[in-house]
Amino acid sequence: RIIIPNKFLISDIVAGNVESCNSVYPVTCEDGVKTYDTCDFGTIMCNNNTGSCPFLFGESDRPKVDLGSSAMAITIALVIIAVCLFCMIKVIRKMLIETPVEVIVSVTNINGYLSMLFGCLVTALIGNSSLTESLLNPFLSSGVVELEQMLPWSLGCNIGMAVVIVIQSVFSGRTAYFHVALANLFFIVFSTVLWYPLPYLRKFVLHS
């Protein structure tokens, strides 16, 4: 691993066991051996199961060193995510562009509630509402798909993503996370029920 955040440090600070992040520095290890049992930790810790320490963990590290290491790890992660999303979008868009326009029109020209359901299911499978919403953007900008046809798909994508978040919160085992995810789902579903069924409210959303 490149980095392992010290998840116990924030709990210790809240409980009053540690005054601040700076008070746990410098990091020291017994006899210079870097393992979970022989070192104390700052914001970066070692694996408590295997005992091994990540690449960016160092003995005698100071707060600025760990902060720089954390920034480096976040930057690497963001670059990897961006590259993966870019490649995924390029592949999916290429597949869609090579699909006959008649097929796209027939698929999008279905009942709005079915389109919403499909958007929800596709988002639940992919796990990214931004990606699924962007699938039809090239056809929307070219006029092949109308804005009225895009709205239920977009709403379905948002509902699907909210459902995915609720499922993730259930397996996280954290009650607060589950409550927030459930509130988010209720908000999106309530907003959809409020604005979509009535045509004049739908037009207000689209053209306001």
Side-chain angles (χ1 to χ4, degrees), residues 73-89 128 131:
I74 291 173
T75 302
I76 294 172
L78 290 176
V79 169
I80 293 174
I81 291 173
V83 170
C84 291
L85 285 177
F86 176 78
C87 294
M88 189 183 299
I89 290 173
N128 190 308
L131 177 59

Side-chain angles (χ1 to χ4, degrees), residues 42 55 72 74 101 117-118 126 131 133 138 143 152 196 198 203:
F55 176 74
M72 184 190 304
I74 291 173
V101 174
L117 178 62
F118 288 151
I126 296 178
L131 177 59
E133 285 187 74
Y196 185 76
L198 300 178
K203 290 180 180 179

Side-chain angles (χ1 to χ4, degrees), residues 32-77:
V33 179
K34 293 191 291 185
T35 65
Y36 180 83
D37 295 323
T38 57
C39 297
D40 51 19
F41 311 115
T43 55
I44 301 175
M45 64 178 295
C46 299
N47 192 312
N48 58 341
N49 294 320
T50 64
S52 60
C53 296
F55 176 74
L56 293 178
F57 176 83
E59 187 182 3
S60 303
D61 277 355
R62 300 283 178 174
K64 290 184 178 180
V65 177
D66 277 0
L67 182 62
S69 300
S70 302
M72 184 190 304
I74 291 173
T75 302
I76 294 172

Side-chain angles (χ1 to χ4, degrees), residues 76-126:
I76 294 172
L78 290 176
V79 169
I80 293 174
I81 291 173
V83 170
C84 291
L85 285 177
F86 176 78
C87 294
M88 189 183 299
I89 290 173
K90 290 286 287 184
V91 170
I92 294 176
R93 281 186 176 175
K94 183 175 176 60
M95 292 170 60
L96 282 175
I97 289 173
E98 292 179 353
T99 304
V101 174
E102 293 79 9
V103 176
I104 299 295
V105 173
S106 62
V107 170
T108 55
N109 198 28
I110 60 176
N111 181 274
Y113 295 100
L114 283 177
S115 179
M116 194 180 300
L117 178 62
F118 288 151
C120 181
L121 292 176
V122 172
T123 301
L125 290 174
I126 296 178

